[in-house]
Amino acid sequence: MAIDTSPRSTTWTYVDGEWLSGNPPLIGPTSHAMWLGSTVFDGARWFDGIAPDLDLHCQRVNRSAVSLGLKPTMAAEEIEALTWEGVKKFDGKTAIYVKPMYWGEHGSWSVVAVDPESTRFALCLFEAPMGNAHGGSSLTLSPFRRPTIECMPTDAKAGCLYPNNARILNEARSRGFDNALVRDMLGNIAETGSSNIFMVKDGVVFTPAANKTFLAGITRFRVMSLLREAGFEVVETTMTMADFEAADEIFTTGNYSKVLPVTRLDDRDLQAGPIAAKARDLYMDWAHSSRDV
């Protein structure tokens, strides 16, 4: 039986100078990206008429391309302009995920190495409702770990990194959890399977120091800056599982859902704490005050 390849929500993709609806076939079986993984992407959000930090997401996808040996073909400003053009194709009611992508079509001097001159670009926008900020999520400790930059291109938002995230999430969910804390190769907490992580102890906000084993996200940086401006002490440091087990509250940040509280860590129930709520309020207030339509 043939697999239905149609998208699961309204989707528009800009590629080769035109907007196409649905899920256009772009990568063939001989494409370098298909069998050797030369793909990078980024993820911004449009909701309520705004696209917070869209410029930074567009800049980062170009940096990711360079890190993977690809050659960016679009200026970040061009990607921004195309995003606003694409947003107009939607009904303006449902939140949109904004996904600029680069991939390699051919190999270079080696079949394994990508030919940067064969880099292709697409911008995909699809409807994706925002996560429930009040529901909370549950975490456990993953048996899997984040690689170092010596092992994988951890300085890029590269598709080849995400099968590891997928097995982290699948293993956690097989044990009844929504997500998992993930350690680096030294045993320190780096992130979750799909987001950056924060904890609060005695009113101080802590987050793992960016050590190039995980993508220190744009939303992470924005939330840190806003909390500091609001008078909170925010510390980037080396953290262990024991630190999180002793936390007063835990929350995550990420582009998909912005700021979400953690309400269970293994067998310990937690409250959706006041600082997590404040972080989300600060973020949303900032985002709506920087409206750009």
Side-chain angles (χ1 to χ4, degrees), residues 101-275:
M101 298 172 285
Y102 288 105
W103 70 95
E105 191 62 35
H106 302 297
S108 184
W109 59 273
S110 162
V111 172
V112 174
V114 67
D115 178 3
E117 299 301 324
S118 73
T119 300
R120 297 185 67 192
F121 170 81
L123 173 63
C124 181
L125 280 64
F126 59 90
E127 289 183 347
M130 300 291 286
N132 180 6
H134 305 291
S137 65
S138 58
L139 296 180
T140 185
L141 180 64
S142 178
F144 304 117
R145 300 200 181 193
R146 287 289 304 183
T148 65
I149 197 167
E150 294 86 359
C151 304
M152 291 289 284
T154 54
D155 58 342
K157 197 169 177 68
C160 60
L161 296 169
Y162 282 80
N164 191 46
N165 294 61
R167 65 178 187 161
I168 288 165
L169 292 169
N170 288 336
E171 192 278 335
R173 289 176 184 179
S174 74
R175 294 191 282 118
F177 296 91
D178 299 315
N179 210 322
L181 291 171
V182 186
R183 292 166 290 182
D184 62 22
M185 296 305 291
L186 296 177
N188 300 310
I189 299 297
E191 59 173 3
T192 78
S194 60
S195 55
N196 292 134
I197 189 74
F198 288 77
M199 57 155 274
V200 180
K201 184 68 177 178
D202 298 328
V204 179
V205 181
F206 296 89
T207 193
N211 60 4
K212 294 187 177 181
T213 67
F214 65 95
L215 199 66
I218 291 169
T219 304
R220 170 186 179 272
F221 178 79
R222 181 64 64 188
V223 168
M224 289 169 56
S225 299
L226 291 169
L227 284 170
R228 284 169 174 158
E229 290 170 9
F232 291 92
E233 183 179 359
V234 181
V235 180
E236 294 182 86
T237 187
T238 300
M239 306 177 71
T240 66
M241 184 61 177
D243 294 315
F244 283 89
E245 290 171 335
D248 297 326
E249 59 178 293
I250 302 172
F251 62 94
T252 65
T253 63
N255 176 63
Y256 211 88
S257 300
K258 301 308 180 185
V259 182
L260 289 176
V262 172
T263 53
R264 181 163 66 101
L265 177 60
D266 284 329
D267 58 358
R268 181 191 172 199
D269 291 330
L270 293 142
Q271 295 297 315
I275 294 182

Side-chain angles (χ1 to χ4, degrees), residues 271-284:
Q271 295 297 315
I275 294 182
K278 183 65 173 179
R280 184 174 178 86
D281 288 345
L282 287 168
Y283 181 89
M284 289 302 179

Side-chain angles (χ1 to χ4, degrees), residues 12 54 67-68 100 128 201 254 264:
W12 285 90
L54 175 61
S67 294
L68 210 69
K201 184 68 177 178
R264 181 163 66 101

